Amino acid sequence: MPRGLARLALALLLAGLLWRSLAASAARSIGSGAPGEASPLINAPAAPAPEQALGSGDLALYERIRARVAAGEPYYAAAMDEQRARDYPTRPFVAVRLPTLAVAGATLGLPAMRVLAGGLLAAAMAALQRRLAERTTRAERIAAQGMLVFGGAAAFVLPQVGWAGLGGRLGLLASLWFAGFLIAVALLARPDTFYWTQLVLPAYAVGLALAPRAIADLGKAALAPAASEA
């Protein structure tokens, strides 16, 4: 990458990380109230009834269906009833999910389902890490896993930079996947469907492992002498 373009990329990266940090701080301040003001939880109403506590949105709908299936109701009868009651579409047929998750949740229970989901996520992350073992060091992969475990210590921009720095067909494919997914979320997602971002979580960890090397390459390009000076 030419020196000027590398410097621009580093500046954009720094600006993106700064913006992400400020946005996270602003989101936390909204939940805690302005300085000097009483916490909004002080005068909070009494705890809602169990039915109200579920709230609205997709996750609440799926939990209601799972509870009815666990109580002995047929899946499709419960799903159709709940979706109609909450103005969810029932046509075309793909609007009603397959009974797999609801039946498994009713049979195994939510704690077991969480363990199963965590195991599948860990397996996917391990498979992707092994796939790129020859491209990264062990220390880079351990650091990436650590940042992911401790709350995603970096914004989405760092994995994007890591995949872009990998180059080649795989790097281009992953970069387009990240960019397309984030654009789709920004344009189409609702606040109560935030969980769709977990689709890219395994690739997120791998991108973090690739990020230090990509940033180092950018730094070398930015500090390299100009071609006319060589």
Side-chain angles (χ1 to χ4, degrees):
M1 182 178 288
R3 183 173 60 172
L5 189 57
R7 289 179 175 178
L8 176 61
L10 284 173
L12 291 175
L13 174 61
L14 180 61
L17 293 175
L18 179 61
W19 172 83
R20 176 66 179 82
S21 177
L22 294 175
S25 299
R28 285 193 296 268
S29 66
I30 290 173
S32 59
E37 292 183 359
S39 170
L41 297 179
I42 293 178
N43 298 319
E51 173 68 16
Q52 295 175 335
L54 287 176
S56 60
D58 294 353
L59 294 181
L61 171 69
Y62 304 146
E63 171 55 22
R64 288 187 176 94
I65 296 173
R66 185 205 66 81
R68 292 179 61 166
V69 172
E73 293 188 48
Y75 169 76
Y76 284 106
M80 295 288 284
D81 184 47
E82 290 290 340
Q83 291 187 208
R84 289 193 183 105
R86 288 162 180 79
D87 294 326
Y88 275 76
T90 57
R91 294 180 179 179
F93 68 94
V94 292
V96 180
R97 287 188 167 195
L98 292 173
T100 310
L101 286 178
V103 173
T107 304
L108 301 176
L110 291 182
M113 290 295 291
R114 292 190 181 99
V115 172
L116 179 61
L120 290 174
L121 174 62
M125 291 169 56
L128 283 172
Q129 293 280 3
R130 282 199 305 271
R131 176 67 177 80
L132 293 178
E134 69 277 6
R135 299 175 181 266
T136 59
T137 65
R138 182 183 297 272
E140 288 173 329
R141 296 193 297 276
I142 292 175
Q145 298 285 15
M147 286 190 288
L148 185 67
V149 168
F150 290 106
F156 262 99
V157 65
L158 282 181
Q160 177 75 40
V161 169
W163 280 111
L166 178 64
R169 183 177 179 181
L170 182 59
L172 177 61
L173 175 63
S175 299
L176 292 176
W177 178 32
F178 262 91
F181 182 83
L182 293 178
I183 290 173
V185 168
L187 294 177
L188 305 174
R190 304 194 312 265
D192 58 350
T193 57
F194 61 91
Y195 51 85
W196 282 105
T197 56
Q198 296 176 12
L199 286 171
V200 297
L201 202 56
Y204 181 91
V206 177
L208 284 179
L210 298 170
R213 189 174 301 176
I215 295 174
D217 289 342
L218 275 177
K220 292 177 182 178
L223 297 175
S228 58
E229 300 173 358

